[in-house]
Amino acid sequence: MRQIILWQRIVMVSILTGLLLHGISLDHIPAAAKSANVTNISYADPYYEQKKYFEMMRLLETQSRQESFGNPTVQQQTVMIPKPMEMMQRPLQPKVDKAEKTEQVKKKMKTVKVMATGYTAGYESTGKRPNHPEYGITYSGVKVRRDKNTVSTIAADLKVFPLGTILYIPGYGYGVVADKGSAIKGKKIDLYFKTTKQVYKEWGKKEVEVQVIRKGNGKLTEAMLRELGEAMEVSKEIPEDLWNKTV
């Protein structure tokens, strides 16, 4: 290919030299001759040689650019455009949104069937009244908390679910074990509500299958609970990198 281009350039130089020897200046050639296509003229045309020269120079310039930067035409021909039938035969990758991904993660977690009841910080559940110094304070030392959007405090048998264990309770939300109770033994949990009215209206007594998100290490502090709640306000779920850090 390069040898052909070299010979074409030699021919062009010869033609240019012949034009100059005959006293023909490029400046004297009309614009019509420079822009004309040699295939559209005949030998009788007075500007035939000049037109042929400019046409061949344009061809050389095009070939030189293709050699330097690659032939666009050849590159386009090597691109394989899939046919509609081929595209239909390819398996489509299903898009998984964030909510569905969360559900898939939950399905892989350990589940435990428990009996869940509800309780309050009041006298009917704890024997303490609002003027009691430990009113609303759980066994772990943190205050009771009910937050449907993040995490709530719950009570459990600490031999089954140690302090700091995070459970997902269907119909209630995320709960972190912060308390215990004399009647909460074995696979039983007690869910905190602010009032007895909420206990009976929203829950009552149910047998549910809870998901163990993270088993606690027997410790839960206000700082840990606050950090966990703030993280869930942002992501609407418990971040994986926060489980080991917080609980």
Side-chain angles (χ1 to χ4, degrees):
M1 180 65 182
R2 293 187 176 181
Q3 292 180 349
I4 295 174
I5 294 175
L6 180 61
W7 278 107
Q8 288 176 337
R9 290 178 178 174
I10 293 174
V11 172
M12 289 300 98
V13 171
S14 301
I15 294 174
L16 180 60
T17 303
L19 292 173
L20 294 176
L21 289 175
H22 284 80
I24 300 174
S25 173
L26 296 178
D27 295 331
H28 296 143
I29 298 175
K34 295 180 181 180
S35 61
N37 191 325
V38 69
T39 58
N40 298 328
I41 61 176
S42 64
Y43 288 98
D45 193 321
Y47 298 109
Y48 175 82
E49 292 295 334
Q50 296 96 316
K51 291 179 179 180
K52 183 177 180 181
Y53 166 75
F54 281 106
E55 179 65 14
M56 296 187 71
M57 289 300 292
R58 281 195 294 268
L59 290 174
L60 284 176
E61 182 180 5
T62 301
Q63 292 173 352
S64 177
R65 289 180 179 176
Q66 292 177 351
E67 183 183 9
S68 300
F69 304 104
N71 192 335
T73 304
V74 174
Q75 292 178 357
Q76 291 176 2
Q77 291 176 350
T78 58
V79 176
M80 299 299 294
I81 301 176
K83 297 179 181 179
M85 184 58 67
E86 293 176 342
M87 295 179 68
M88 291 176 64
Q89 292 175 351
R90 293 179 181 177
L92 297 176
Q93 297 295 331
K95 293 183 179 180
V96 181
D97 57 17
K98 190 174 182 180
E100 187 176 348
K101 185 178 180 180
T102 303
E103 290 300 321
Q104 291 177 355
V105 172
K106 290 178 182 176
K107 288 180 181 178
K108 295 180 182 180
M109 296 177 182
K110 179 182 177 181
T111 60
V112 180
K113 186 175 289 187
V114 300
M115 181 60 69
T117 53
Y119 82 106
T120 69
Y123 184 81
E124 66 281 351
S125 295
T126 64
K128 301 172 184 176
R129 300 188 184 277
N131 59 354
H132 194 285
E134 295 183 1
Y135 180 83
I137 303 300
T138 65
Y139 178 76
S140 64
V142 304
K143 291 191 67 175
V144 289
R145 168 182 176 145
R146 174 61 177 140
D147 191 335
K148 296 180 180 180
N149 297 321
T150 57
V151 63
S152 304
T153 55
I154 63 175
D157 186 341
L158 303 185
K159 293 181 181 179
V160 180
F161 301 116
L163 290 176
T165 298
I166 303 173
L167 304 177
Y168 178 77
I169 305 100
Y172 182 79
Y174 288 99
V176 58
V177 177
D179 210 348
K180 66 177 184 176
S182 57
I184 308 301
K185 300 297 181 182
K187 294 182 179 180
K188 294 181 180 180
I189 60 175
D190 221 2
L191 312 179
Y192 172 72
F193 290 90
K194 292 182 179 181
T195 65
T196 54
K197 184 178 180 180
Q198 290 177 339
V199 172
Y200 292 112
K201 182 179 179 180
E202 298 180 22
W203 196 260
K205 184 178 182 180
K206 299 178 183 179
E207 187 178 49
V208 293
E209 198 166 281
V210 300
Q211 294 164 332
V212 182
I213 307 298
R214 173 72 160 81
K215 191 170 183 178
N217 59 4
K219 179 182 178 181
L220 182 66
T221 65
E222 284 287 354
M224 294 165 63
L225 184 59
R226 182 172 57 254
E227 187 177 0
L228 181 59
E230 290 174 353
M232 292 186 66
E233 284 181 356
V234 177
S235 62
K236 304 302 179 184
E237 60 184 27
I238 300 175
E240 294 183 13
D241 60 347
L242 191 66
W243 293 346
N244 294 330
K245 179 180 177 182
T246 304
V247 180

